[in-house]
Each structure stands twice: as structure tokens, then as C-alpha cells.
Amino acid sequence: MYQEAKQRLRGSIAPIVTPFDENMNVDTEALKKLIEWHIESGTHGISVTGTTGEPSSLTIEERELVMETAIKTAAGRVPVVPGTGSTNHAEALHLTKRAQEMGADAAMVIVPYYNRPNQQALYNHFKIIADSVDIPIIIYNIPGRTATNLEVKTLARLAEDCKNIIGVKESNKDFEHVNRVLLNCGRDFLLYSGIELLCYPMLAIGGAGHVSATANIVPKEVADLYNYWVAGEVEKAIELHYKLMPLNDVLFKDTNPGPLKTAMGMMGKINPALRLPMGPPSEQLQEEIRQTLIEYGLLDQQVGMKK
């Protein structure tokens, strides 16, 4: 069961934004359109309610609504891996169980943020969640958001003790750390990059793909980065890596998904609303985003990049 999942859960798993309408309600119709666009563009998998999806600004019921909408819209055409983690253990447990009930292909569970558990507490947290379901679990390690790093030895214990913990999304700039993940967890453990500038380098050390917010802007190109690599077209992959860099840079000059939603609003993909305490980027950054999109040809033609 898990070996099959390890083969399917590869490539660009796009972390979709949560669109809101003018009344700040979850816009499920816009979400459906985004998912269809991603599937048409070659995205290999869909993730919702992760960091890019503003989960901490959603109620539990809204998170379930977004998860269910994504799973039903994808309808098995690509895997759906919702983010089910929380700073609250009971909520994370509940959402992971609901993901399984809804038919999710896997669940992505973040290291709890704000409360900064020690390594043994992290082990206990993930072990209980993994033992509560049969679906694959991908742990999400993002020290910049959580103020806690899931150490390699803790992750290796979890991978050994929980057969359904099959991978990790590492939003971790410590490249030595991510190398040691595969050394200690096994080369078949799924390693995903959550850092845009490390998407290509992680493929080079044996990574399974990436969960890149930039896929919300150029889904085809982010998917092609993986496609070129697995096809052995290394020079094309490297060229695309550098071609995407200016876009990656501007999208992270303020806290994600602020610049991202602004860009998607300019492209006509969504209403670029953010729920407080999040807010839009400065006018100066908005103009920089606009100019970057023009340089990539994205305001004139909403898919693809200038050749």
C-alpha cells in the first residue's frame, strides 16, 4: 500500500491558496477553478490548507470544507494531500482522521507552531496521529514558522516506528540537514522541498519533488522542473531553476501568501483577499510584483512564460 503511494506522490504537489470572496467567506468555486487549472497545467498533486492556504485563519469547519472540495474536484485524477496539522494536538488528530474519511491520498502534518515542543513530545505527537489512520503521512518541517526544528534522529525514529510516515516536506534552508534525512531515513523516504530555491538541488540528492508556492503562479513550469529532471534533461532543469528565481524571490519579499495572492489577483485568478492578521504587501512591493509578472509575460497571457 505505502510503496504504491511512494511512487504516486512525486513531482510538483502544488500548495493551493484558499480563495475568499468579497465577504471573506471561503470561495469554493474559485478553488475548484484553481484545481482544474493545475490539473490541466500538469501539476502532479494538490495540497490545500498548508501554510500557503492560511489554515490558522480558517475554522475547523472551513478547513474540512476546503479539504472536501479539493478531494471531490480532483476526483482521483491527481493525488490530494491536505494539510491537517495544528498547534492543537486534538485538532490535528481530528483533521487527519477526517482527511482519511474524505478519501485523501495522504495527509501533510506540520510540526506544531508557537508552543515549541521538545523532540520527545514531537515524536509522541506524530506517532499518535500516524497510528490513528492508515493513509500515508508526510511530516512538514518548517522551522522558520514553527521556531522548532524536527531533528533528523527524531524523524528517523518516526519513519522506523510508523510505516505510514513515508516522507517529509522540508522548508529548511539547512542543506546539510536535508541530506541527512535521506541518509538516516532511507533513500526511498520521500523528501520534498518547501524552499523554492532548493527545489532543483533537492532533486539532485534524491528528493521526490517539491511543494512550491510558486506553482500557484506558473504551475506548468514548476511541474516541468521535476519532469525535466526525471527525463534526464538536466540542462533544461537547471535553466528553468534559474529562470524561476526572480519570480521566486519577489513572491517571498513579504510573508507568504501575501505577495502570492496579490500576484494571483493581478492575473485574474482570485480575489486577493487575506484574512487578518495577514495583510497585503506594501504599494512598493505590489508594483514590483506587477513588473515581475509583466517580465514573465503573465499579465498578458495567464499561463506560461516568455520564451
Side-chain angles (χ1 to χ4, degrees), residues 48 62-74 98 102:
V48 291
E62 286 174 328
R63 289 183 68 170
E64 291 184 14
L65 172 63
V66 172
M67 287 162 50
E68 185 175 31
T69 300
I71 291 165
K72 287 184 175 179
T73 303
R98 290 290 291 126
M102 292 176 187

Short mmCIF file of all heavy atoms in Angstrom, two decimals, residues 48 62-74 98 102:
data_model
loop_
_atom_site.label_atom_id
_atom_site.label_comp_id
_atom_site.label_asym_id
_atom_site.label_seq_id
_atom_site.Cartn_x
_atom_site.Cartn_y
_atom_site.Cartn_z
N VAL A 48 -3.87 21.35 0.00
CA VAL A 48 -4.62 22.51 0.48
C VAL A 48 -4.44 22.61 1.99
O VAL A 48 -3.96 21.68 2.63
CB VAL A 48 -6.13 22.41 0.14
CG1 VAL A 48 -6.37 22.55 -1.35
CG2 VAL A 48 -6.72 21.10 0.67
N GLU A 62 -14.21 25.17 8.15
CA GLU A 62 -13.73 25.68 6.86
C GLU A 62 -12.59 24.84 6.33
O GLU A 62 -12.50 24.60 5.11
CB GLU A 62 -13.30 27.14 7.02
CG GLU A 62 -14.46 28.11 7.16
CD GLU A 62 -14.00 29.52 7.46
OE1 GLU A 62 -12.96 29.69 8.13
OE2 GLU A 62 -14.68 30.47 7.03
N ARG A 63 -11.72 24.40 7.20
CA ARG A 63 -10.64 23.53 6.74
C ARG A 63 -11.20 22.24 6.15
O ARG A 63 -10.74 21.76 5.10
CB ARG A 63 -9.67 23.22 7.88
CG ARG A 63 -8.82 24.41 8.29
CD ARG A 63 -7.82 24.09 9.36
NE ARG A 63 -6.76 23.19 8.89
CZ ARG A 63 -5.66 22.90 9.56
NH1 ARG A 63 -5.46 23.44 10.77
NH2 ARG A 63 -4.74 22.09 9.06
N GLU A 64 -12.21 21.69 6.80
CA GLU A 64 -12.84 20.47 6.28
C GLU A 64 -13.51 20.75 4.93
O GLU A 64 -13.45 19.92 4.02
CB GLU A 64 -13.86 19.94 7.28
CG GLU A 64 -13.23 19.37 8.55
CD GLU A 64 -14.24 18.76 9.50
OE1 GLU A 64 -15.39 18.52 9.07
OE2 GLU A 64 -13.88 18.50 10.66
N LEU A 65 -14.14 21.92 4.80
CA LEU A 65 -14.78 22.30 3.54
C LEU A 65 -13.76 22.38 2.41
O LEU A 65 -13.99 21.87 1.31
CB LEU A 65 -15.50 23.64 3.70
CG LEU A 65 -16.08 24.27 2.42
CD1 LEU A 65 -17.17 23.38 1.82
CD2 LEU A 65 -16.62 25.67 2.71
N VAL A 66 -12.63 23.02 2.67
CA VAL A 66 -11.59 23.15 1.65
C VAL A 66 -11.03 21.77 1.27
O VAL A 66 -10.85 21.46 0.09
CB VAL A 66 -10.46 24.09 2.13
CG1 VAL A 66 -9.29 24.08 1.16
CG2 VAL A 66 -10.99 25.51 2.30
N MET A 67 -10.77 20.95 2.26
CA MET A 67 -10.26 19.60 2.00
C MET A 67 -11.24 18.81 1.14
O MET A 67 -10.85 18.19 0.14
CB MET A 67 -10.02 18.88 3.34
CG MET A 67 -8.82 19.38 4.13
SD MET A 67 -8.85 18.92 5.90
CE MET A 67 -9.16 17.15 5.80
N GLU A 68 -12.50 18.83 1.54
CA GLU A 68 -13.51 18.05 0.82
C GLU A 68 -13.68 18.56 -0.61
O GLU A 68 -13.80 17.77 -1.56
CB GLU A 68 -14.85 18.13 1.57
CG GLU A 68 -15.93 17.25 0.96
CD GLU A 68 -17.20 17.24 1.78
OE1 GLU A 68 -17.49 18.26 2.44
OE2 GLU A 68 -17.89 16.21 1.77
N THR A 69 -13.67 19.88 -0.78
CA THR A 69 -13.80 20.47 -2.12
C THR A 69 -12.65 20.03 -3.02
O THR A 69 -12.85 19.65 -4.18
CB THR A 69 -13.83 22.01 -2.03
OG1 THR A 69 -14.94 22.42 -1.23
CG2 THR A 69 -13.95 22.63 -3.41
N ALA A 70 -11.44 20.04 -2.47
CA ALA A 70 -10.27 19.64 -3.26
C ALA A 70 -10.33 18.17 -3.66
O ALA A 70 -10.06 17.81 -4.81
CB ALA A 70 -9.00 19.93 -2.48
N ILE A 71 -10.69 17.32 -2.72
CA ILE A 71 -10.73 15.88 -2.98
C ILE A 71 -11.80 15.55 -4.02
O ILE A 71 -11.56 14.78 -4.97
CB ILE A 71 -10.97 15.10 -1.67
CG1 ILE A 71 -9.73 15.22 -0.77
CG2 ILE A 71 -11.28 13.63 -1.94
CD1 ILE A 71 -9.97 14.82 0.67
N LYS A 72 -12.96 16.18 -3.89
CA LYS A 72 -14.05 15.92 -4.84
C LYS A 72 -13.72 16.48 -6.22
O LYS A 72 -14.04 15.87 -7.24
CB LYS A 72 -15.35 16.51 -4.31
CG LYS A 72 -15.96 15.72 -3.15
CD LYS A 72 -17.31 16.30 -2.74
CE LYS A 72 -17.96 15.43 -1.66
NZ LYS A 72 -19.28 16.01 -1.25
N THR A 73 -13.08 17.63 -6.25
CA THR A 73 -12.76 18.25 -7.55
C THR A 73 -11.68 17.45 -8.28
O THR A 73 -11.79 17.22 -9.49
CB THR A 73 -12.29 19.70 -7.35
OG1 THR A 73 -13.31 20.43 -6.65
CG2 THR A 73 -12.00 20.37 -8.68
N ALA A 74 -10.66 17.05 -7.58
CA ALA A 74 -9.60 16.26 -8.21
C ALA A 74 -10.12 14.92 -8.69
O ALA A 74 -9.68 14.39 -9.72
CB ALA A 74 -8.44 16.07 -7.25
N ARG A 98 -10.34 12.96 9.52
CA ARG A 98 -11.32 13.43 8.53
C ARG A 98 -10.75 13.34 7.12
O ARG A 98 -11.48 13.00 6.18
CB ARG A 98 -11.75 14.87 8.85
CG ARG A 98 -12.59 15.01 10.09
CD ARG A 98 -13.99 14.40 9.90
NE ARG A 98 -14.76 15.18 8.96
CZ ARG A 98 -15.36 14.69 7.89
NH1 ARG A 98 -15.27 13.39 7.59
NH2 ARG A 98 -16.08 15.46 7.09
N MET A 102 -12.51 11.33 4.06
CA MET A 102 -12.88 12.00 2.82
C MET A 102 -12.23 11.38 1.59
O MET A 102 -12.61 11.69 0.46
CB MET A 102 -12.48 13.48 2.88
CG MET A 102 -13.25 14.31 3.87
SD MET A 102 -12.59 16.00 3.92
CE MET A 102 -13.51 16.70 5.28
#
